[in-house]
Amino acid sequence: MTTLELRNISKSYGSVRAVNDVSLSVPAGCHTAIVGPSGSGKTTLLRLIAGFEAPDAGSLLLSGAPLADGNGTFVPAHKRQVGYLPQDGALFPHLSVAANIAFGIAHEPADVRERRVQELAEMVVLDRAMLARYPHELSGGQQQRVGIARALAQRPKLILLDEPFSALDTGLRAATRKATTELLDAAGVTALLVTHDQAEALSFSDQIAVMRDGRIAQSGPPVDLYLRPRDPITATFLGDAIILAAQLSGDGWSTSVLGSLPVDDSTRLGPASIMLRPEQVTMVGGSAADCSAQGHVLDLEFIGHSCVVTVDVAGTRVQVRCAVGGAPKVGARVSLAVNGPAHVLS
Amino acid sequence: MLFRTWIVAGAVAAGLALAGTPPAVADIVIYNAQHESLTKAWIEAFTKETGIKATYRQGSDLELGNVIVQEGRNSPADVFLTENSPAMALVDNAGLLATIDAATLALVPAEFRAGTGRWVGIAARTTVFVYNKAKVPADKLPKSMLDLADAAWKGRWAAAHTGADFQAIVAALLELKGEAATAAWLNGMKANATKLGGNAAVMRAVNAGEFDGGIIYHYYYAQDQARTGEGSKNVALHYFKNGDPGAFVSVSGGGVLASSKNQQEAQAFVKWTLSKTGQDIMTKSALEYAVATGAPSHPALVPLNTLQAPKLDPAKLASKKVTEMMLAAGLI
Amino acid sequence: MGVIATPGGGTIPLPPGARHSASLRAAPRWLLLAAIVVTGAMLLPLGFVLWVAVQIGWSEIVTVLVRPRVGELLLNTAMLVSMAVPASVLVGVSLAWLTERTDLPGHTLWSALAAAPLAVPAFVHGYAWVTALPSFHGLVAAVMVSVLAYFPFVYLPVAAALRRLDPAQEDVAASLGLRPMQVLRRVVLPQLRLPVLGGALIIGLHMLAEYGLFALVRFDTFTTAIFDQFQSIFSAPAANMMAGVLVLLCLLLLMLEVSARGGGRYARLGSGSARQAARLRLPPLAKGAAVLVVLAVAILSLGVPLMTLARWLMLGGAEVWDLDAILPVLGQTLALAAAGAILTTMAAMPVAWLSVRGRGAKVRIIEASNYISGALPGIVVALALVTVTIRVARPLYQTAFTVLLAYVILFLPRALIALRASIAQAPPELENVAQSLGRSPFRALTEVTMRLAAPGAAAGAAMVFLAVTTELTATLILAPTGTRTLATTFWSLTTEIEYVRAAPFAFMMIALSLPLTWVLYHQSRRAAGR
């Protein structure tokens, strides 16, 4: 069953087309990430779904009911029951944690409200003592959890998250993200996340939509997108990539500077770009027989958990990773081996 | 803040506004250009005696006179009190005054009321030249007010010429000597005189020796003498007499507006100011001359009938022409 | 225009366009409508002056305005502004530098004393000087008393700016070989341009608008002359056209200030630094001279008014505290001031919200109109309202509504500044969240943004409250019959030379103003991060 359906949505500001003919469907219970660089239109798309803005064209349906259709139908934000969690939580600073959580259920009787607040606090693992506190007395992670509890209080069918973790420190970010994912799963709520952080998008979602210049460049399950991006920009946006010019032989093999490699396209013939993820490439010192290519090390960069090694392979620079302990020296000869098929970019 | 809060805030503001501007619980509204303290004392005694409550709006003669003309038939005022007659004449000429009860008119000699019978004198004050005794010997005093326009008096005298008091004197001059002479005198005055904020300020400045003399009304001196005398110890009054424009006696007027819905109470108030109590309050506290027949003025004053004031119909003193001429002379 | 007066003398540059947020199109229509209604009311006095000009026609304007008296007033006003403004700047900047940047003994005390004259209304300064020195009058008196009354408008923002300046710049200048006085002249003073210009503009506008002070020291300006004419002929073409000239003078000052700011308009002073600038060690002789200077200013600006007032109060004894007479006046003043404060703040809200969240030319025009109207003298606003109500809106004539409307027109910018600053601090996301949680845009605005702006609204309301308690001209002309405020009662007693009986009213005005002056002083120090 589909919770959210976008059909050919467009929105312009002046002469700028912020969102251009976007279609997307989000199944019930699914976590979808919209990812793209800043200015790609992803925040505008989110605001259109939330109802803060009206689309110029196209239609928007929630559980089959139209929210906006570009010719007059427009359900404003406060009648949509769509949860919204912006960056840094945006808690109301003048209200206690309990009052923040209960903000969306003000029409319920007091006892119902109180029970619901307790329930939600438990769900987001928030100590009861916290309920009487004020937002500025909470840590960033706690604020985020209160924000989620507040959004879930009115039992929305859909919750929108606008870069909700970007304000947190690196360590806290991953943990909060994971906790949030689990929470939303437990609540069984459909979620839509907007982020410019590909790692966040990949780990959070069941479905990713990559936005660029107001359009959705590609969408699908995270693994599909990671391994089989449609173009080099999407490929590099979702992670480090080795992109090589190659000749396809039409039988599932390619020839490039890395030698003869299997590819995931067995029909195409002729010149094409192929992509490998760095983790597909392993490097050994000297010349090894089972390696498809040799080169020499041009540059070494230590990035903490591993090293990035730039290898000159017959005049083409290839960046691969290696463990810190086994890093070769600059100028050393190395051999490269490839695991798994290369992806042919269209 | 809820929508309710806005409504509450608005209501509170409205309530406060009403509290801050008390609605007239009064039976009559007086537009008062007389001295505030005098009218306050009058109102208190009048209310005590008659039970009629009054409130007042303070302003200057011509300001309030012009306000009433602008307000026309819808004026909220019932009674108009002035210090001088031109403002009264202005309102009368606009046809906005009711005829004063005959019994009230009978209380005042003809020279102190309007020939039209639509307003009545309530007090009188005489023009004087106040001078610093140390700076002006008695034989060097001006013979006529007109002499003050001579070059000899340049920079030596002061007046409160934006006030209605002085403008009434100019109106008398205009009536007595005509337009050309008045214009010439005003030009001389522009060159010679310093403008001060009020008659009291003129006397104080002369007393302090800043100026040799100034044109004021008599009671500023008399009031100060009656109190500490500190502001008038160095000055004396010079009366021009001889029917000189500078001997002009100005009549303070009281009138009832034709549009008043409280004619009886308004007429009663004007009549009351001429009663023994009313005139006593005025002569004792303000030291203006009494105008009701038989009412005594303060014994410290030079008797009114010895002042040889020029004969004028107070109702004929014009204000509009005077302000025009003073504007033209650059005095206001 | 770029700045606006706050009673504390702070000047706040207009924001360089709103942040990315709700666009004007998304602004609720009722809010835009409310803002337009408020702006319309604010533009009433300007519209009135224009309307009168058109009504009486060109030749009459020429007769009324081209005459020696108007030239005299122009000259007077020009001399007053051109002497008192630079003198105030000199006093304000010198005191700010001495109290903030030198090792002047007792600098904290002197700094509080330099802000304190603001608690004394200008016409009470005038009253003190005139009653202490009866022959003190004319241009010299007008310039001197207005400098003493108004220099804190320069002192406060300049002192705050000096505290905010990054001392690293001065260190760099010193490392480049500049002597301390050269650092002051070439690095520090140029950066004080914005607060100095802002303060100077406020002082200039006050001088154009002030009536009581100049009437007392017997110095004719356009405002006193208009008032004289009003008393002689009520609302006449001459007075109204002179009001028009006064409006032009105000606009001229605004334009001068904007052009003097030039490119520096949005230049920001450092956002505060952890380190304080080192105080210059004055040589003993200079230190002595500096103490004499600040002492002299304190004596003249505070000592004289307070001593004179004390003398009159003592002369009057218990007798002048006639509570039956005083309490109703105090009560009416407080009630009017509170009503004015609430209404002005409410009227400022839609405009403030639009000016923070809205975008586009329409919003900028609405905002600028409100500031320009706020620069107009009370006499112009009063003349406009009295004439309009008496001629075309008779039911409103002499009502509380009209005098409150005048307060709104006169003091809205003060509320606007405070509100705008606090609305700008309330993230627009909060309104979005509230909408996503089921609140309509209006309720989201009132329940969240306005609630968060409440402290700013309270500060703005307090400033309006204070302004109303000492407002003279509009109250005199517009208030309903029977209304007496502290200011009008003080004034009528002063003009009757009842100095002793006037003293309690002056005292109460100062007592009411003191707490707020303290708050402003405190704010200017806290804004600087100390």
Side-chain angles (χ1 to χ4, degrees), chain B residues 1 31 56-57 71 195 210, chain C residues 137 220 397-398 446 479:
Chain B
M1 206 190 301
Y31 271 23
Y56 63 95
R57 182 175 188 82
E71 287 170 351
K195 185 200 83 171
E210 277 182 67
Chain C
H137 58 78
D220 283 350
Y397 172 66
Q398 280 186 10
T446 51

Side-chain angles (χ1 to χ4, degrees), chain B residues 84-170:
Chain B
N84 304 282
S85 50
M88 217 75 225
L90 175 79
V91 176
D92 192 6
N93 291 340
L96 296 171
L97 290 180
T99 303
I100 294 289
D101 289 350
T104 311
L105 291 173
L107 294 172
V108 179
E111 70 252 44
F112 295 135
R113 56 179 154 88
T116 60
R118 284 190 291 266
W119 59 269
V120 67
I122 53 173
R125 59 271 293 277
T126 180
T127 313
V128 294
F129 184 68
V130 61
Y131 64 98
N132 188 302
K133 290 181 286 193
K135 300 184 89 174
V136 189
D139 59 329
K140 291 281 196 296
L141 284 167
K143 296 282 169 295
S144 162
M145 184 178 86
L146 300 180
D147 297 349
L148 294 173
D150 296 346
W153 280 92
K154 190 170 174 63
R156 291 173 60 199
W157 66 286
H161 45 262
T162 56
D165 287 358
F166 190 84
Q167 290 174 18
I169 299 171
V170 178

Side-chain angles (χ1 to χ4, degrees), chain B residues 78-80 96-98 100 118 254-258 260 263 266-267 270:
Chain B
D78 298 299
V79 172
F80 183 32
L96 296 171
L97 290 180
I100 294 289
R118 284 190 291 266
V256 172
L257 280 115
S260 166
Q263 286 292 332
Q267 291 279 358
V270 173

Side-chain angles (χ1 to χ4, degrees), chain C residues 63-272:
Chain C
T63 0
V64 167
L65 290 184
V66 182
R67 56 196 184 97
R69 173 71 174 156
V70 173
E72 211 177 289
L73 292 171
L74 264 181
L75 185 68
N76 272 3
T77 309
M79 281 198 301
L80 179 70
V81 172
S82 64
M83 289 167 78
V85 170
S88 308
V89 168
L90 184 70
V91 173
V93 173
S94 309
L95 256 61
W97 184 71
L98 285 174
T99 56
E100 295 304 326
R101 284 306 177 88
T102 69
D103 60 344
L104 180 77
H107 51 78
T108 319
L109 172 73
W110 296 121
S111 139
L113 289 182
L118 274 190
V120 183
F123 56 94
V124 175
H125 276 283
Y127 155 87
W129 279 94
V130 164
T131 60
L133 292 175
S135 57
F136 189 56
H137 58 78
L139 177 63
V140 176
V143 169
M144 188 173 144
V145 181
S146 40
V147 169
L148 293 173
Y150 295 133
F151 83 86
F153 283 126
V154 169
Y155 173 82
L156 280 176
V158 170
L162 276 176
R163 262 176 252 135
R164 268 199 308 256
L165 276 188
D166 186 355
Q169 295 173 2
E170 288 158 67
D171 295 346
V172 169
S175 78
L176 292 172
L178 268 63
R179 288 192 306 278
M181 290 316 277
Q182 288 178 308
V183 173
L184 177 69
R185 192 168 50 82
R186 290 179 52 191
V187 178
V188 178
L189 290 183
Q191 299 202 53
L192 298 179
R193 195 165 84 158
L194 291 186
V196 163
L197 282 174
L201 174 68
I202 294 164
I203 295 179
L205 290 175
H206 269 91
M207 299 230 235
L208 291 184
E210 178 61 28
Y211 167 68
L213 166 61
F214 298 124
L216 280 168
V217 299
R218 301 186 213 150
F219 187 74
D220 283 350
T221 66
F222 263 96
T223 295
T224 64
I226 293 169
F227 206 84
D228 285 347
Q229 293 210 346
F230 178 81
Q231 289 193 328
S232 299
I233 25 189
F234 185 58
S235 167
N240 291 330
M241 281 337 294
M242 278 166 67
V245 176
L246 191 54
V247 168
L248 289 180
L249 289 178
C250 290
L251 297 182
L252 180 73
L253 276 192
L254 290 177
M255 273 165 16
L256 275 179
E257 196 266 353
V258 168
S259 66
R261 277 175 168 253
R265 180 167 173 169
Y266 297 124
R268 293 249 170 212
L269 295 164
S271 60

